[in-house]
């Protein structure tokens, strides 16, 4: 009577592909993005020349996430996502520096990283997309008009 069958090893020869899989979705690190947030670099990145190889011809770029988008609607939708808000939260702390690592190793006194206020950077002349107003119906009109006097019960 034969025993249980051995499972097949499907990916035993994929060691040369593992690096490609791991680096496929890699984005810039926080310290690289912090360098992009400087005034002169931010101006260059927000007002890039047209590049036919990039999505949206490189005209719709999120500096904080280092991503290109195909149009203004996609960029505005991205600004409202959790991914973008988490990235803003992560960028509030100063990036880790060599000086901070030396202080942590005992070559100076510890100074906690400072918090910064981080807001979404937009291109010049680009206004914030207004949120759609709630639909006005009979239920909202009755609740919104405080001038109506309550009618006495029965």
């Amino acid at each position: 009577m034969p025993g249980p069958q051995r499972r097949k090893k499907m990916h035993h020869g994929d060691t040369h592909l593992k690096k490609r899989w791991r680096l496929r979705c890699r984005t810039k690190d926080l310290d690289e993005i912090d360098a992009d947030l400087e005034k002169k670099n931010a101006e260059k990145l927000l007002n890039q020349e047209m590049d036919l190889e990039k999505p949206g011809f490189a005209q719709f770029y999120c500096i904080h996430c280092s991503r290109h988008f195909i149009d203004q609607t996609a960029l505005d939708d991205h600004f409202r996502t959790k991914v973008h808000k988490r990235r803003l939260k992560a960028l509030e702390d100063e990036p880790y520096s060599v000086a901070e690592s030396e202080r942590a190793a005992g070559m100076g006194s510890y100074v906690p990283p400072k918090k910064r206020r981080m807001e979404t950077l937009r291109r010049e002349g680009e206004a914030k997309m207004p949120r759609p107003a709630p639909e006005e119906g009979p239920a909202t009109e009755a609740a919104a008009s405080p001038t109506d006097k309550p009618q006495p019960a029965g």
Side-chain angles (χ1 to χ4, degrees), residues 54-122:
K54 294 181 180 169
F57 303 130
Q59 298 303 300
F60 309 102
Y61 183 71
C62 175
I63 292 182
H64 308 286
C65 304
S66 68
R67 288 183 59 188
H68 292 277
F69 294 91
I70 59 170
D71 59 1
Q72 188 62 44
T73 307
L75 181 62
D76 289 331
D77 289 344
H78 164 74
F79 287 154
R80 292 189 203 112
T81 61
K82 278 187 179 181
V83 174
H84 181 74
K85 291 176 184 176
R86 283 181 188 148
R87 182 56 66 102
L88 286 177
K89 184 84 169 165
L91 287 169
E92 283 180 354
D93 290 332
E94 285 184 341
Y96 193 73
S97 64
V98 174
E100 187 175 352
S101 66
E102 289 175 352
R103 287 193 302 261
M107 298 183 198
S109 58
Y110 177 71
V111 178
K114 296 176 185 171
K115 287 275 192 183
R116 304 178 290 185
R117 183 182 169 106
M118 193 62 55
E119 293 182 1
T120 300
L121 296 177
R122 298 173 183 267

Side-chain angles (χ1 to χ4, degrees), residues 21-39:
W21 292 337
R22 188 174 62 237
L23 298 177
R24 185 175 65 106
C25 296
R26 180 139 175 88
T27 59
K28 285 185 176 180
D29 288 327
L30 293 178
D31 56 338
E32 294 172 318
I33 292 173
D34 190 64
D36 289 345
L37 289 174
E38 294 176 8
K39 186 81 171 163

Side-chain angles (χ1 to χ4, degrees), residues 135-153:
E135 295 181 16
E136 302 251 349
T140 56
E141 287 177 13
S145 60
T147 58
D148 293 338
K149 294 180 182 176
Q151 297 179 0

